[in-house]
Each structure stands twice: as C-alpha cells, then as structure tokens.
Coordinates of all heavy atoms in Angstrom, one line a residue:
M1 N -15.9 -73.9 -85.1 CA -16.4 -73.3 -83.9 C -15.4 -72.1 -83.6 O -14.2 -72.2 -83.7 CB -16.3 -74.2 -82.7 CG -17.1 -73.8 -81.6 SD -17.3 -75.2 -80.5 CE -17.1 -74.5 -78.9
K2 N -16.0 -70.9 -83.4 CA -15.3 -69.7 -83.2 C -14.8 -69.6 -81.7 O -15.5 -69.8 -80.8 CB -16.2 -68.5 -83.5 CG -15.5 -67.2 -83.4 CD -16.6 -66.1 -83.8 CE -15.9 -64.7 -83.6 NZ -16.9 -63.7 -83.9
P3 N -13.5 -69.4 -81.5 CA -13.0 -69.3 -80.2 C -13.5 -68.1 -79.5 O -13.8 -67.0 -80.1 CB -11.5 -69.2 -80.3 CG -11.3 -68.7 -81.7 CD -12.4 -69.2 -82.5
T4 N -13.7 -68.2 -78.2 CA -14.2 -67.0 -77.4 C -13.1 -66.2 -76.8 O -12.0 -66.7 -76.5 CB -15.1 -67.5 -76.3 OG1 -14.4 -68.3 -75.4 CG2 -16.3 -68.2 -76.8
H5 N -13.3 -64.9 -76.7 CA -12.3 -64.0 -76.1 C -12.4 -64.2 -74.6 O -13.5 -64.5 -74.0 CB -12.7 -62.6 -76.5 CG -11.6 -61.6 -76.1 ND1 -11.5 -61.1 -74.8 CD2 -10.6 -61.1 -76.8 CE1 -10.5 -60.2 -74.8 NE2 -9.9 -60.2 -75.9
P6 N -11.3 -64.0 -73.8 CA -11.4 -64.2 -72.4 C -12.4 -63.3 -71.7 O -13.0 -63.6 -70.7 CB -9.9 -63.8 -71.9 CG -9.1 -64.2 -73.1 CD -9.9 -63.9 -74.3
F7 N -12.6 -62.1 -72.3 CA -13.6 -61.2 -71.7 C -15.0 -61.8 -71.8 O -15.8 -61.7 -70.9 CB -13.6 -59.8 -72.4 CG -14.5 -58.8 -71.7 CD1 -14.2 -58.3 -70.5 CD2 -15.7 -58.5 -72.4 CE1 -15.1 -57.4 -69.9 CE2 -16.6 -57.6 -71.8 CZ -16.3 -57.0 -70.6
D8 N -15.3 -62.4 -72.9 CA -16.6 -63.1 -73.1 C -16.8 -64.2 -72.1 O -17.8 -64.4 -71.5 CB -16.8 -63.7 -74.5 CG -16.8 -62.6 -75.6 OD1 -17.4 -61.6 -75.4 OD2 -16.2 -62.8 -76.7
E9 N -15.7 -64.9 -71.8 CA -15.7 -66.0 -70.8 C -15.9 -65.4 -69.4 O -16.6 -65.9 -68.5 CB -14.4 -66.8 -70.8 CG -14.2 -67.5 -72.1 CD -12.9 -68.2 -72.2 OE1 -12.1 -68.2 -71.3 OE2 -12.5 -68.6 -73.3
A10 N -15.3 -64.2 -69.1 CA -15.4 -63.6 -67.8 C -16.8 -63.1 -67.5 O -17.1 -63.0 -66.3 CB -14.4 -62.4 -67.7
I11 N -17.6 -62.7 -68.5 CA -18.9 -62.2 -68.2 C -20.0 -63.2 -68.6 O -21.2 -62.9 -68.4 CB -19.1 -60.8 -68.9 CG1 -19.2 -61.0 -70.5 CG2 -18.1 -59.8 -68.5 CD1 -19.7 -59.8 -71.2
R12 N -19.6 -64.4 -68.9 CA -20.6 -65.4 -69.3 C -21.4 -65.8 -68.0 O -20.8 -66.0 -67.0 CB -19.9 -66.7 -69.8 CG -20.9 -67.8 -70.2 CD -20.3 -69.0 -70.8 NE -19.2 -68.6 -71.7 CZ -18.1 -69.3 -71.9 NH1 -17.9 -70.4 -71.2 NH2 -17.2 -68.9 -72.7
L13 N -22.7 -65.9 -68.2 CA -23.6 -66.2 -67.1 C -24.5 -67.4 -67.5 O -24.9 -67.4 -68.7 CB -24.5 -65.0 -66.7 CG -23.8 -63.7 -66.3 CD1 -24.8 -62.6 -66.1 CD2 -23.0 -64.0 -65.0
E14 N -24.7 -68.3 -66.6 CA -25.7 -69.4 -66.9 C -27.0 -69.1 -66.1 O -26.9 -68.7 -65.0 CB -25.1 -70.7 -66.6 CG -24.9 -71.0 -65.1 CD -24.3 -72.3 -64.8 OE1 -23.1 -72.6 -65.1 OE2 -25.0 -73.2 -64.3
P15 N -28.1 -69.3 -66.8 CA -29.4 -69.0 -66.1 C -29.6 -70.0 -65.0 O -29.4 -71.2 -65.1 CB -30.4 -69.2 -67.2 CG -29.7 -69.6 -68.4 CD -28.3 -69.7 -68.2
L16 N -30.2 -69.4 -63.9 CA -30.6 -70.2 -62.7 C -32.1 -70.2 -62.5 O -32.6 -71.0 -61.7 CB -29.9 -69.7 -61.4 CG -28.4 -69.9 -61.4 CD1 -27.9 -69.2 -60.1 CD2 -28.0 -71.3 -61.4
G17 N -32.7 -69.3 -63.1 CA -34.2 -69.1 -62.9 C -34.5 -67.7 -63.3 O -33.6 -66.9 -63.7
E18 N -35.7 -67.3 -63.1 CA -36.1 -66.0 -63.5 C -35.3 -64.9 -62.8 O -35.3 -64.7 -61.6 CB -37.6 -65.7 -63.2 CG -38.1 -64.5 -63.8 CD -39.6 -64.3 -63.7 OE1 -40.3 -65.4 -63.7 OE2 -40.1 -63.2 -63.6
G19 N -34.6 -64.1 -63.6 CA -33.8 -63.0 -63.1 C -32.5 -63.4 -62.3 O -31.9 -62.5 -61.7
R20 N -32.1 -64.6 -62.4 CA -30.9 -65.1 -61.6 C -30.0 -65.8 -62.6 O -30.4 -66.6 -63.4 CB -31.4 -66.0 -60.5 CG -32.2 -65.3 -59.5 CD -32.7 -66.2 -58.3 NE -31.7 -67.1 -57.8 CZ -31.8 -68.4 -57.8 NH1 -32.9 -69.0 -58.3 NH2 -30.9 -69.2 -57.4
W21 N -28.7 -65.6 -62.3 CA -27.6 -66.2 -63.1 C -26.5 -66.6 -62.2 O -26.3 -66.0 -61.2 CB -27.1 -65.3 -64.2 CG -28.1 -65.0 -65.3 CD1 -28.3 -65.6 -66.5 CD2 -29.2 -64.0 -65.3 NE1 -29.3 -65.1 -67.2 CE2 -29.9 -64.1 -66.5 CE3 -29.6 -63.0 -64.3 CZ2 -31.0 -63.3 -66.8 CZ3 -30.6 -62.2 -64.6 CH2 -31.3 -62.4 -65.9
R22 N -25.6 -67.5 -62.7 CA -24.4 -67.8 -62.1 C -23.2 -67.6 -63.0 O -23.3 -67.9 -64.2 CB -24.4 -69.3 -61.6 CG -23.0 -69.7 -61.0 CD -23.0 -70.8 -60.1 NE -23.9 -70.5 -58.9 CZ -24.7 -71.3 -58.4 NH1 -24.9 -72.5 -58.8 NH2 -25.5 -70.9 -57.3
G23 N -22.2 -66.9 -62.5 CA -21.0 -66.7 -63.3 C -19.8 -67.1 -62.5 O -19.9 -67.7 -61.4
H24 N -18.6 -66.9 -63.1 CA -17.4 -67.3 -62.5 C -16.3 -66.3 -62.8 O -16.2 -65.9 -64.0 CB -17.0 -68.7 -62.9 CG -16.0 -69.4 -62.1 ND1 -14.6 -69.0 -62.1 CD2 -16.1 -70.3 -61.2 CE1 -14.0 -69.8 -61.2 NE2 -14.9 -70.6 -60.6
T25 N -15.5 -65.8 -61.9 CA -14.5 -64.9 -62.2 C -13.5 -65.6 -63.1 O -13.4 -66.8 -63.2 CB -13.7 -64.5 -60.9 OG1 -13.2 -65.6 -60.3 CG2 -14.6 -63.7 -60.0
H26 N -12.7 -64.8 -63.9 CA -11.8 -65.3 -64.8 C -10.4 -64.8 -64.5 O -10.2 -63.6 -64.2 CB -12.2 -64.8 -66.2 CG -11.5 -65.5 -67.3 ND1 -10.2 -65.2 -67.7 CD2 -11.9 -66.5 -68.2 CE1 -9.9 -66.0 -68.7 NE2 -10.9 -66.8 -69.0
E27 N -9.4 -65.7 -64.5 CA -8.0 -65.4 -64.1 C -7.4 -64.3 -65.0 O -6.5 -63.6 -64.5 CB -7.2 -66.6 -64.1 CG -7.0 -67.3 -65.5 CD -6.3 -68.6 -65.5 OE1 -6.5 -69.4 -64.5 OE2 -5.6 -68.9 -66.5
A28 N -7.9 -64.1 -66.2 CA -7.3 -63.1 -67.1 C -7.7 -61.7 -66.6 O -7.1 -60.7 -67.0 CB -7.8 -63.3 -68.5
Y29 N -8.7 -61.6 -65.8 CA -9.2 -60.3 -65.3 C -9.1 -60.2 -63.8 O -10.0 -59.7 -63.1 CB -10.6 -60.0 -65.8 CG -10.7 -59.9 -67.3 CD1 -10.9 -60.9 -68.1 CD2 -10.3 -58.6 -67.9 CE1 -10.9 -60.8 -69.5 CE2 -10.3 -58.5 -69.2 CZ -10.6 -59.6 -70.0 OH -10.5 -59.5 -71.4
G30 N -8.0 -60.7 -63.3 CA -7.8 -60.6 -61.8 C -6.4 -60.1 -61.5 O -5.5 -60.0 -62.3
N31 N -6.3 -59.7 -60.3 CA -5.0 -59.3 -59.8 C -4.7 -60.1 -58.5 O -5.4 -61.0 -58.2 CB -4.9 -57.8 -59.6 CG -5.9 -57.3 -58.6 OD1 -6.3 -57.9 -57.7 ND2 -6.3 -56.0 -58.8
M32 N -3.7 -59.6 -57.7 CA -3.4 -60.4 -56.5 C -4.4 -60.4 -55.4 O -4.4 -61.2 -54.5 CB -2.0 -59.9 -56.0 CG -2.0 -58.5 -55.5 SD -0.4 -58.0 -55.0 CE -0.4 -56.4 -55.6
V33 N -5.4 -59.5 -55.5 CA -6.4 -59.5 -54.4 C -7.8 -59.8 -54.9 O -8.7 -59.9 -54.1 CB -6.5 -58.1 -53.7 CG1 -5.2 -57.8 -53.0 CG2 -6.8 -57.0 -54.7
G34 N -8.0 -60.1 -56.2 CA -9.3 -60.4 -56.7 C -9.5 -59.9 -58.1 O -8.6 -59.4 -58.7
P35 N -10.7 -60.1 -58.6 CA -11.0 -59.7 -60.0 C -11.0 -58.1 -60.2 O -11.4 -57.4 -59.2 CB -12.3 -60.3 -60.3 CG -13.0 -60.5 -59.0 CD -11.9 -60.7 -58.0
F36 N -10.7 -57.6 -61.3 CA -10.8 -56.2 -61.6 C -12.2 -55.7 -61.6 O -13.1 -56.5 -61.9 CB -10.2 -55.9 -63.0 CG -8.7 -56.2 -63.1 CD1 -8.3 -56.9 -64.2 CD2 -7.8 -55.7 -62.2 CE1 -6.9 -57.1 -64.4 CE2 -6.5 -55.9 -62.4 CZ -6.0 -56.6 -63.4
G37 N -12.4 -54.5 -61.1 CA -13.8 -54.0 -61.0 C -14.5 -53.9 -62.3 O -15.7 -54.0 -62.3
G38 N -13.8 -53.6 -63.4 CA -14.5 -53.5 -64.7 C -15.1 -54.8 -65.1 O -16.2 -54.8 -65.6
A39 N -14.4 -55.9 -64.9 CA -14.9 -57.2 -65.3 C -16.1 -57.5 -64.4 O -17.1 -58.1 -64.8 CB -13.9 -58.2 -65.2
T40 N -16.0 -57.2 -63.1 CA -17.1 -57.4 -62.2 C -18.4 -56.6 -62.6 O -19.5 -57.1 -62.6 CB -16.7 -57.0 -60.7 OG1 -15.6 -57.8 -60.4 CG2 -17.8 -57.3 -59.8
A41 N -18.2 -55.3 -62.9 CA -19.3 -54.5 -63.4 C -19.9 -55.0 -64.7 O -21.1 -55.0 -64.8 CB -18.8 -53.0 -63.5
A42 N -19.0 -55.5 -65.6 CA -19.5 -56.0 -66.9 C -20.4 -57.2 -66.6 O -21.4 -57.5 -67.3 CB -18.4 -56.2 -67.8
A43 N -20.0 -58.1 -65.7 CA -20.7 -59.3 -65.4 C -22.1 -59.0 -64.8 O -23.1 -59.6 -65.2 CB -20.0 -60.2 -64.5
A44 N -22.1 -58.0 -64.0 CA -23.4 -57.5 -63.4 C -24.3 -56.9 -64.5 O -25.5 -57.2 -64.5 CB -23.1 -56.5 -62.3
L45 N -23.7 -56.1 -65.3 CA -24.5 -55.5 -66.4 C -25.0 -56.6 -67.4 O -26.1 -56.5 -67.9 CB -23.7 -54.5 -67.2 CG -24.4 -53.8 -68.4 CD1 -25.6 -53.0 -67.9 CD2 -23.4 -52.9 -69.0
A46 N -24.2 -57.7 -67.6 CA -24.6 -58.8 -68.5 C -26.0 -59.4 -68.0 O -26.8 -59.8 -68.8 CB -23.5 -59.8 -68.6
A47 N -26.2 -59.4 -66.7 CA -27.4 -60.0 -66.1 C -28.6 -59.1 -66.5 O -29.6 -59.7 -67.0 CB -27.3 -60.1 -64.6
A48 N -28.5 -57.8 -66.4 CA -29.6 -56.9 -66.9 C -29.8 -57.0 -68.4 O -30.9 -57.0 -68.8 CB -29.3 -55.5 -66.5
L49 N -28.7 -57.1 -69.1 CA -28.8 -57.3 -70.6 C -29.5 -58.6 -71.0 O -30.2 -58.6 -72.0 CB -27.5 -57.1 -71.2 CG -26.8 -55.8 -71.2 CD1 -25.4 -55.8 -71.7 CD2 -27.6 -54.8 -72.0
A50 N -29.3 -59.6 -70.2 CA -29.9 -60.9 -70.5 C -31.3 -61.1 -70.1 O -32.0 -62.0 -70.5 CB -29.0 -62.0 -69.9
H51 N -31.8 -60.2 -69.2 CA -33.1 -60.3 -68.7 C -34.2 -60.1 -69.7 O -34.1 -59.2 -70.5 CB -33.3 -59.3 -67.6 CG -34.4 -59.6 -66.6 ND1 -35.7 -59.5 -66.9 CD2 -34.3 -60.0 -65.3 CE1 -36.5 -59.9 -65.9 NE2 -35.6 -60.2 -64.9
P52 N -35.2 -61.0 -69.8 CA -36.2 -60.9 -70.8 C -37.1 -59.6 -70.7 O -37.7 -59.2 -71.7 CB -37.1 -62.1 -70.6 CG -36.8 -62.6 -69.3 CD -35.4 -62.2 -68.9
A53 N -37.1 -58.9 -69.6 CA -37.9 -57.7 -69.4 C -37.1 -56.4 -69.9 O -37.7 -55.4 -69.9 CB -38.3 -57.5 -68.0
R54 N -35.9 -56.6 -70.3 CA -35.1 -55.4 -70.7 C -35.7 -54.8 -71.9 O -36.1 -55.4 -72.9 CB -33.6 -55.9 -71.1 CG -32.8 -54.7 -71.5 CD -31.4 -55.1 -71.8 NE -31.3 -56.0 -73.0 CZ -30.9 -55.6 -74.2 NH1 -30.7 -54.4 -74.4 NH2 -30.8 -56.5 -75.2
Q55 N -35.7 -53.4 -71.9 CA -36.1 -52.6 -73.0 C -35.0 -51.6 -73.3 O -34.7 -50.8 -72.5 CB -37.4 -51.9 -72.6 CG -38.6 -52.8 -72.3 CD -39.8 -52.0 -71.8 OE1 -39.8 -50.8 -71.8 NE2 -40.8 -52.7 -71.5
G56 N -34.5 -51.7 -74.5 CA -33.5 -50.8 -74.9 C -32.1 -51.1 -74.4 O -31.8 -52.2 -73.8
D57 N -31.2 -50.2 -74.6 CA -29.7 -50.4 -74.3 C -29.4 -49.5 -73.2 O -29.9 -48.4 -73.0 CB -28.9 -50.1 -75.5 CG -29.1 -51.1 -76.6 OD1 -29.3 -52.3 -76.3 OD2 -29.0 -50.7 -77.8
P58 N -28.4 -49.9 -72.3 CA -28.0 -49.0 -71.2 C -27.3 -47.8 -71.6 O -26.6 -47.8 -72.7 CB -27.1 -50.0 -70.4 CG -26.7 -51.0 -71.3 CD -27.7 -51.1 -72.3
I59 N -27.4 -46.7 -70.9 CA -26.7 -45.5 -71.2 C -25.8 -45.1 -70.0 O -25.0 -44.2 -70.1 CB -27.6 -44.3 -71.6 CG1 -28.6 -44.0 -70.5 CG2 -28.3 -44.6 -72.9 CD1 -29.4 -42.7 -70.8
A60 N -26.1 -45.7 -68.8 CA -25.3 -45.3 -67.6 C -25.2 -46.6 -66.7 O -26.1 -47.4 -66.7 CB -25.9 -44.2 -66.9
L61 N -24.2 -46.6 -65.9 CA -24.0 -47.7 -65.0 C -23.3 -47.2 -63.7 O -22.3 -46.5 -63.8 CB -23.1 -48.8 -65.6 CG -22.6 -49.9 -64.7 CD1 -23.8 -50.8 -64.3 CD2 -21.6 -50.7 -65.4
T62 N -23.9 -47.5 -62.6 CA -23.3 -47.2 -61.3 C -23.1 -48.5 -60.5 O -24.0 -49.2 -60.4 CB -24.1 -46.2 -60.4 OG1 -24.3 -45.0 -61.2 CG2 -23.5 -45.9 -59.1
V63 N -21.9 -48.7 -60.0 CA -21.6 -50.0 -59.3 C -21.1 -49.6 -57.9 O -20.2 -48.8 -57.8 CB -20.6 -50.8 -60.0 CG1 -20.3 -52.1 -59.2 CG2 -21.0 -51.2 -61.4
N64 N -21.7 -50.2 -56.9 CA -21.3 -50.1 -55.5 C -20.6 -51.4 -55.2 O -21.3 -52.5 -55.2 CB -22.4 -49.8 -54.6 CG -23.1 -48.5 -54.9 OD1 -22.4 -47.5 -54.9 ND2 -24.4 -48.5 -55.3
F65 N -19.3 -51.4 -54.9 CA -18.6 -52.6 -54.4 C -18.8 -52.7 -52.9 O -18.2 -52.0 -52.2 CB -17.2 -52.6 -54.8 CG -17.0 -52.6 -56.3 CD1 -16.9 -51.4 -57.1 CD2 -17.0 -53.8 -57.0 CE1 -16.7 -51.5 -58.4 CE2 -16.9 -53.9 -58.4 CZ -16.7 -52.7 -59.1
A66 N -19.7 -53.6 -52.5 CA -20.1 -53.7 -51.1 C -19.2 -54.6 -50.3 O -19.3 -54.6 -49.1 CB -21.5 -54.3 -51.0
G67 N -18.3 -55.3 -51.0 CA -17.4 -56.2 -50.3 C -16.4 -56.8 -51.2 O -16.5 -56.6 -52.5
P68 N -15.4 -57.5 -50.8 CA -14.4 -58.0 -51.7 C -15.0 -59.1 -52.5 O -15.7 -60.0 -52.0 CB -13.3 -58.5 -50.7 CG -14.0 -58.8 -49.4 CD -15.1 -57.8 -49.4
V69 N -14.6 -59.1 -53.8 CA -15.0 -60.2 -54.7 C -13.9 -61.2 -54.7 O -12.8 -60.8 -55.1 CB -15.3 -59.7 -56.1 CG1 -15.7 -60.8 -57.0 CG2 -16.4 -58.6 -56.0
A70 N -14.2 -62.4 -54.4 CA -13.1 -63.5 -54.4 C -13.1 -64.2 -55.7 O -14.1 -64.2 -56.5 CB -13.4 -64.5 -53.3
Q71 N -12.0 -64.8 -56.1 CA -12.0 -65.6 -57.3 C -12.9 -66.8 -57.0 O -13.0 -67.4 -56.0 CB -10.5 -66.2 -57.5 CG -9.5 -65.1 -57.8 CD -9.8 -64.5 -59.2 OE1 -10.5 -65.0 -60.0 NE2 -9.1 -63.4 -59.5
G72 N -13.7 -67.1 -58.1 CA -14.6 -68.2 -58.0 C -16.0 -67.9 -58.5 O -16.2 -66.9 -59.1
P73 N -17.0 -68.8 -58.2 CA -18.3 -68.5 -58.6 C -19.0 -67.4 -57.9 O -18.7 -67.1 -56.8 CB -19.0 -69.9 -58.4 CG -18.2 -70.5 -57.3 CD -16.8 -70.0 -57.4
F74 N -20.0 -66.8 -58.6 CA -20.9 -65.8 -58.0 C -22.3 -65.9 -58.6 O -22.4 -66.5 -59.7 CB -20.3 -64.4 -58.3 CG -20.1 -64.1 -59.7 CD1 -21.1 -63.6 -60.5 CD2 -18.8 -64.2 -60.3 CE1 -20.9 -63.3 -61.9 CE2 -18.6 -63.9 -61.6 CZ -19.6 -63.4 -62.4
D75 N -23.2 -65.4 -57.9 CA -24.6 -65.4 -58.3 C -25.0 -64.0 -58.5 O -24.6 -63.1 -57.8 CB -25.6 -66.1 -57.3 CG -25.4 -67.6 -57.2 OD1 -24.8 -68.2 -58.1 OD2 -25.8 -68.1 -56.2
V76 N -25.8 -63.7 -59.6 CA -26.3 -62.4 -59.9 C -27.8 -62.4 -60.0 O -28.4 -63.3 -60.6 CB -25.7 -61.9 -61.2 CG1 -26.1 -60.5 -61.5 CG2 -24.2 -62.0 -61.2
E77 N -28.5 -61.4 -59.4 CA -29.9 -61.3 -59.5 C -30.2 -59.9 -60.1 O -29.7 -58.9 -59.5 CB -30.6 -61.5 -58.2 CG -32.1 -61.4 -58.3 CD -32.8 -61.8 -57.0 OE1 -32.1 -62.1 -56.0 OE2 -34.0 -61.7 -56.9
A78 N -31.0 -59.8 -61.2 CA -31.3 -58.6 -61.8 C -32.8 -58.4 -61.7 O -33.6 -59.3 -62.0 CB -30.9 -58.5 -63.3
T79 N -33.2 -57.2 -61.3 CA -34.6 -56.8 -61.1 C -34.9 -55.5 -61.8 O -34.1 -54.5 -61.5 CB -35.0 -56.8 -59.6 OG1 -34.6 -58.0 -59.0 CG2 -36.5 -56.5 -59.4
A80 N -35.9 -55.4 -62.6 CA -36.3 -54.1 -63.1 C -36.9 -53.3 -62.0 O -38.0 -53.7 -61.5 CB -37.3 -54.3 -64.3
A81 N -36.3 -52.2 -61.5 CA -36.7 -51.5 -60.4 C -37.8 -50.5 -60.8 O -38.7 -50.2 -60.0 CB -35.6 -50.7 -59.8
R82 N -37.7 -49.9 -62.0 CA -38.7 -49.0 -62.5 C -38.7 -49.0 -64.0 O -37.6 -48.9 -64.6 CB -38.5 -47.6 -62.0 CG -39.5 -46.6 -62.5 CD -39.3 -45.3 -61.8 NE -40.1 -44.3 -62.4 CZ -41.4 -43.9 -62.0 NH1 -41.9 -44.5 -61.0 NH2 -42.1 -43.0 -62.6
T83 N -39.8 -49.1 -64.7 CA -39.9 -49.0 -66.1 C -41.0 -48.0 -66.5 O -42.1 -48.0 -65.9 CB -40.3 -50.4 -66.7 OG1 -39.2 -51.3 -66.4 CG2 -40.4 -50.3 -68.2
N84 N -40.7 -47.1 -67.4 CA -41.7 -46.2 -67.9 C -41.6 -46.1 -69.4 O -40.9 -47.0 -70.0 CB -41.7 -44.8 -67.2 CG -40.4 -44.1 -67.5 OD1 -39.8 -44.2 -68.5 ND2 -40.0 -43.3 -66.5
R85 N -42.2 -45.2 -70.0 CA -42.2 -45.1 -71.5 C -40.9 -45.0 -72.1 O -40.6 -45.6 -73.2 CB -43.1 -43.9 -71.9 CG -43.4 -43.9 -73.3 CD -44.3 -42.7 -73.7 NE -43.7 -41.5 -73.1 CZ -44.2 -40.3 -73.2 NH1 -45.3 -40.1 -73.8 NH2 -43.6 -39.3 -72.6
S86 N -39.9 -44.3 -71.5 CA -38.7 -44.1 -72.2 C -37.4 -44.5 -71.4 O -36.3 -44.5 -71.9 CB -38.5 -42.6 -72.6 OG -38.6 -41.8 -71.4
T87 N -37.6 -44.9 -70.2 CA -36.4 -45.4 -69.4 C -36.7 -46.6 -68.6 O -37.9 -46.9 -68.3 CB -35.9 -44.3 -68.4 OG1 -37.0 -44.0 -67.5 CG2 -35.5 -43.0 -69.1
Q88 N -35.7 -47.2 -68.2 CA -35.8 -48.4 -67.3 C -34.6 -48.4 -66.3 O -33.5 -48.1 -66.7 CB -35.7 -49.7 -68.2 CG -36.3 -50.9 -67.6 CD -36.4 -52.0 -68.6 OE1 -35.6 -52.1 -69.5 NE2 -37.4 -52.9 -68.4
H89 N -34.9 -48.6 -65.1 CA -33.9 -48.6 -64.0 C -33.8 -50.1 -63.5 O -34.8 -50.7 -63.2 CB -34.2 -47.6 -62.9 CG -34.3 -46.2 -63.4 ND1 -33.1 -45.4 -63.4 CD2 -35.3 -45.5 -63.9 CE1 -33.5 -44.3 -63.9 NE2 -34.8 -44.3 -64.2
W90 N -32.6 -50.5 -63.3 CA -32.3 -51.9 -62.9 C -31.6 -51.9 -61.5 O -30.7 -51.1 -61.3 CB -31.5 -52.7 -63.9 CG -32.3 -53.0 -65.1 CD1 -32.5 -52.2 -66.2 CD2 -33.1 -54.2 -65.3 NE1 -33.3 -52.8 -67.1 CE2 -33.7 -54.0 -66.6 CE3 -33.2 -55.3 -64.6 CZ2 -34.5 -55.0 -67.1 CZ3 -34.0 -56.3 -65.1 CH2 -34.7 -56.2 -66.4
S91 N -31.9 -52.9 -60.7 CA -31.2 -53.2 -59.5 C -30.6 -54.6 -59.7 O -31.3 -55.5 -60.0 CB -32.1 -53.2 -58.3 OG -31.5 -53.6 -57.1
V92 N -29.3 -54.6 -59.5 CA -28.5 -55.9 -59.7 C -27.7 -56.2 -58.5 O -27.0 -55.3 -58.0 CB -27.6 -55.8 -61.0 CG1 -26.8 -57.1 -61.1 CG2 -28.4 -55.5 -62.2
Q93 N -27.8 -57.4 -58.0 CA -27.0 -57.8 -56.8 C -26.1 -59.0 -57.2 O -26.6 -59.9 -57.8 CB -27.8 -58.1 -55.6 CG -28.5 -57.0 -55.0 CD -29.2 -57.4 -53.7 OE1 -29.4 -58.6 -53.4 NE2 -29.6 -56.4 -52.9
M94 N -24.8 -58.9 -56.8 CA -23.9 -60.0 -57.0 C -23.6 -60.5 -55.7 O -23.2 -59.8 -54.8 CB -22.7 -59.5 -57.7 CG -21.6 -60.6 -58.0 SD -20.1 -60.0 -58.8 CE -20.8 -59.8 -60.5
R95 N -23.7 -61.8 -55.5 CA -23.5 -62.5 -54.2 C -22.4 -63.6 -54.4 O -22.4 -64.3 -55.4 CB -24.7 -63.1 -53.7 CG -25.8 -62.1 -53.4 CD -27.1 -62.8 -52.9 NE -28.1 -61.9 -52.6 CZ -28.3 -61.3 -51.4 NH1 -27.5 -61.5 -50.4 NH2 -29.3 -60.4 -51.3
Q96 N -21.7 -63.7 -53.3 CA -20.7 -64.8 -53.1 C -20.9 -65.4 -51.7 O -20.8 -64.6 -50.8 CB -19.3 -64.4 -53.4 CG -18.9 -64.3 -54.8 CD -17.4 -64.0 -55.0 OE1 -16.9 -63.2 -54.4 NE2 -16.8 -64.7 -55.9
G97 N -21.1 -66.6 -51.6 CA -21.2 -67.2 -50.2 C -22.4 -66.6 -49.4 O -22.3 -66.5 -48.2
G98 N -23.4 -66.1 -50.1 CA -24.5 -65.5 -49.4 C -24.4 -64.1 -49.1 O -25.3 -63.4 -48.8
D99 N -23.2 -63.5 -49.3 CA -23.0 -62.1 -49.0 C -23.0 -61.3 -50.3 O -22.5 -61.7 -51.3 CB -21.6 -61.9 -48.4 CG -21.4 -62.5 -47.0 OD1 -22.5 -62.5 -46.3 OD2 -20.3 -62.9 -46.7
V100 N -23.6 -60.1 -50.2 CA -23.6 -59.2 -51.4 C -22.2 -58.6 -51.5 O -21.7 -58.0 -50.5 CB -24.6 -58.0 -51.2 CG1 -24.5 -57.0 -52.3 CG2 -26.0 -58.6 -51.1
V101 N -21.6 -58.7 -52.7 CA -20.3 -58.2 -52.9 C -20.3 -57.0 -53.9 O -19.4 -56.2 -53.9 CB -19.3 -59.3 -53.5 CG1 -19.0 -60.3 -52.4 CG2 -19.8 -59.9 -54.7
A102 N -21.4 -56.8 -54.7 CA -21.5 -55.7 -55.6 C -23.0 -55.5 -55.9 O -23.7 -56.4 -56.0 CB -20.7 -55.9 -56.9
T103 N -23.3 -54.2 -56.1 CA -24.7 -53.9 -56.5 C -24.6 -52.8 -57.6 O -23.7 -52.1 -57.7 CB -25.5 -53.3 -55.3 OG1 -24.9 -52.1 -54.9 CG2 -25.7 -54.3 -54.2

C-alpha cells in the first residue's frame, strides 16, 4: 500500500450525495488561527474536480474567504453554474457549522 502525502489527506473528500462532500482540515496545513488558504482552496477545487458533470481541467480559480475556517470537518457543495461548448463555470461553497466559510 502506497503511503499518502499530507496534502492528499488535506484535500480528501468523502461523498455525501450528488454534488456534496465532507472533508477535514489537516494539521500539517494549519497555523495558529486555522488552516492555510491554499489548502482550503485546494479542497474546494477538489469538489469541482470530483463532480461527475465536470468537463475539462480548470484554468483559473477565485476564492472568497467569507469567514474563518476552523480546524475540523467541513462540507463542500459544488454546482456547475454554466456550461457551454468550451467552458464551464463552477460555484463551490464550503460550510462549517452551517455557515459559509469559503466560496
């Protein structure tokens, strides 16, 4: 069995249903106030990448940190906001305790 890298563990998501996943912050990607933004963004992107409606690979990513991300579990919901012949736009929301912490 091949060992996993801490980054792979930090962005690992378990499916909860159509377009929804649960993840957990990882101590290797945190500081004294919470997880690093890059790991948070990567976990959100992982939801869009795992979605069965995804077409192609991402070329850009914009993340709005709407609130503090706490150490612990989080839920992610990914929705294809617009799809056409050559592009696809995604809306992703990360929630903790019912509050949106990143989009």
Side-chain angles (χ1 to χ4, degrees):
M1 196 163 141
K2 185 178 176 183
T4 59
H5 190 276
F7 185 73
D8 295 321
E9 294 172 11
I11 66 169
R12 182 179 316 146
L13 301 173
E14 67 179 73
L16 294 177
E18 188 170 329
R20 295 178 42 239
W21 291 266
R22 176 155 296 139
H24 198 284
T25 59
H26 193 282
E27 62 187 35
Y29 293 94
N31 60 31
M32 62 185 142
V33 295
F36 294 131
T40 301
L45 182 59
L49 290 171
H51 201 289
R54 177 177 70 96
Q55 298 175 1
D57 294 323
I59 59 170
L61 172 68
T62 299
V63 179
N64 297 301
F65 294 95
V69 179
Q71 293 291 347
F74 56 82
D75 291 341
V76 183
E77 184 173 355
T79 306
R82 180 174 170 95
T83 299
N84 62 34
R85 186 178 54 178
S86 59
T87 64
Q88 202 171 31
H89 299 270
W90 287 85
S91 175
V92 179
Q93 290 189 345
M94 180 181 287
R95 296 178 181 272
Q96 282 186 312
D99 293 329
V100 174
V101 292
T103 62

